[in-house]
Amino acid sequence: MDPVALRPITAADRDTLLRWRNLPDVRRYMYTDHTITAAEHEAWFGRLGDDPTRQYWIITAGAQDVGVAHLSQLDERHRRCHWGLYLAEPSSRGRGVGSCAQLLVLREVFERRRLRRLMCEVLATNAAARRLYESFGFKAEGVLRAHVVKAEGPVDVISLALLREEWLATRSELASRLVQRGLSLHPPDWATFDPSEGP
Ligand SMILES: CC(C)(COP(=O)(O)OP(=O)(O)OC[C@H]1O[C@@H](n2cnc3c(N)ncnc32)[C@H](O)[C@@H]1OP(=O)(O)O)[C@@H](O)C(=O)NCCC(=O)NCCS
């Protein structure tokens, strides 16, 4: 498979993001089901650039843009944040791209930003996303009962978190697992890391 990378979003991605976010097969996994209007999207996109608590990337596989990953609620005081991702087209799912993107996000959060705690939330009905998170060591910390109202009614949400020390303890094994599956990431030196390096 083509190497998976993250690149920061730019103004040129604005229309793609609206189209992706409104795809039925993306919307169904998000907290809100409604079709996002161009005006709503414009306002959201405009706020992104000025918001130091959020960061968005396009997930790429080779030359192709395939999805979105983001950090939110970046909190320097407590050294923690939330994250999430989606792959826009179902055809790009189930092939390891989500695992590669997750590894790159964990490197950014724990190795470059040196945060302590990374959190995420997943609809209780979303087995694939929960499996993705737990396969990298995220632990369920609670069930937010009937937390969101979807078209089909109230749905529980699972809250998960991973700590920096847990990531450092399993990092090499997780990286090897991706290599064994024939997956690759960009930049190519992603598999080497000395936790004692850096600020
Ligand atoms: C969730 C998502 C990002 C996962 O990415 P992906 O590339 O499909 O996942 P991977 O192929 O890397 O697989 C990750 C793990 O999930 C498992 N998995 C994948 N699809 C699955 C499915 N439909 N049901 C159960 N487990 C599944 C894989 O077996 C793998 O576990 P393993 O490493 O123990 O074998 C992707 O499916 C997606 O974009 N879904 C729609 C949007 C979404 O749900 N976003 C998350 C919101 S919280």
Side-chain angles (χ1 to χ4, degrees):
M1 200 187 64
D2 290 330
V4 174
L6 301 178
R7 67 164 175 82
I9 61 165
T10 69
D13 299 312
R14 189 180 50 197
D15 294 348
T16 304
L17 285 180
L18 176 61
R19 187 173 61 78
W20 281 355
R21 180 59 180 75
N22 277 334
L23 290 171
D25 216 42
V26 170
R27 252 192 284 165
R28 61 190 284 237
Y29 297 105
M30 302 292 132
Y31 277 8
T32 52
D33 286 311
H34 74 286
T35 304
I36 293 168
T37 63
E40 206 181 331
H41 182 65
E42 187 74 38
W44 173 84
F45 198 85
R47 288 193 300 270
L48 267 190
D50 303 326
D51 187 347
T53 69
R54 288 190 291 178
Q55 175 159 11
Y56 274 73
W57 298 276
I58 298 292
I59 303 169
T60 59
Q64 208 190 345
D65 294 344
V66 293
V68 176
H70 77 278
L71 305 181
S72 61
Q73 300 178 54
L74 272 157
D75 184 328
E76 288 298 333
R77 162 100 175 70
H78 299 290
R79 307 210 55 73
R80 66 183 184 218
C81 69
H82 285 249
W83 86 290
L85 82 168
Y86 66 77
L87 302 178
E89 303 293 343
S91 59
S92 61
R93 298 178 192 160
R95 295 162 46 205
V97 177
S99 297
C100 292
Q102 175 163 245
L103 188 136
L104 292 169
V105 168
L106 297 184
R107 289 201 63 185
E108 165 73 17
V109 167
F110 293 125
E111 299 175 23
R112 200 184 75 74
R113 292 179 178 265
R114 298 180 83 83
L115 300 184
R116 309 169 27 254
R117 175 175 158 85
L118 181 62
M119 293 163 280
C120 56
E121 290 179 355
V122 57
L123 297 176
T125 47
N126 190 348
R130 184 169 181 180
R131 176 72 207 140
L132 171 72
Y133 298 136
E134 291 185 333
S135 70
F136 271 58
F138 279 85
K139 292 189 175 49
E141 294 187 330
V143 180
L144 310 175
R145 294 174 301 149
H147 190 59
V148 295
V149 180
K150 298 285 287 175
E152 69 271 23
V155 178
D156 293 351
V157 167
I158 316 291
S159 174
L160 303 109
L162 180 67
L163 301 181
R164 183 169 193 271
E165 57 266 31
E166 293 167 344
W167 164 246
L168 294 179
T170 53
R171 178 198 193 283
S172 303
E173 184 195 323
L174 290 166
S176 311
R177 202 197 296 168
L178 294 192
V179 172
Q180 277 159 19
R181 285 175 67 185
L183 298 166
S184 60
L185 295 93
H186 187 82
D189 67 346
W190 59 277
T192 55
F193 168 68
D194 177 353
S196 63
E197 283 174 4

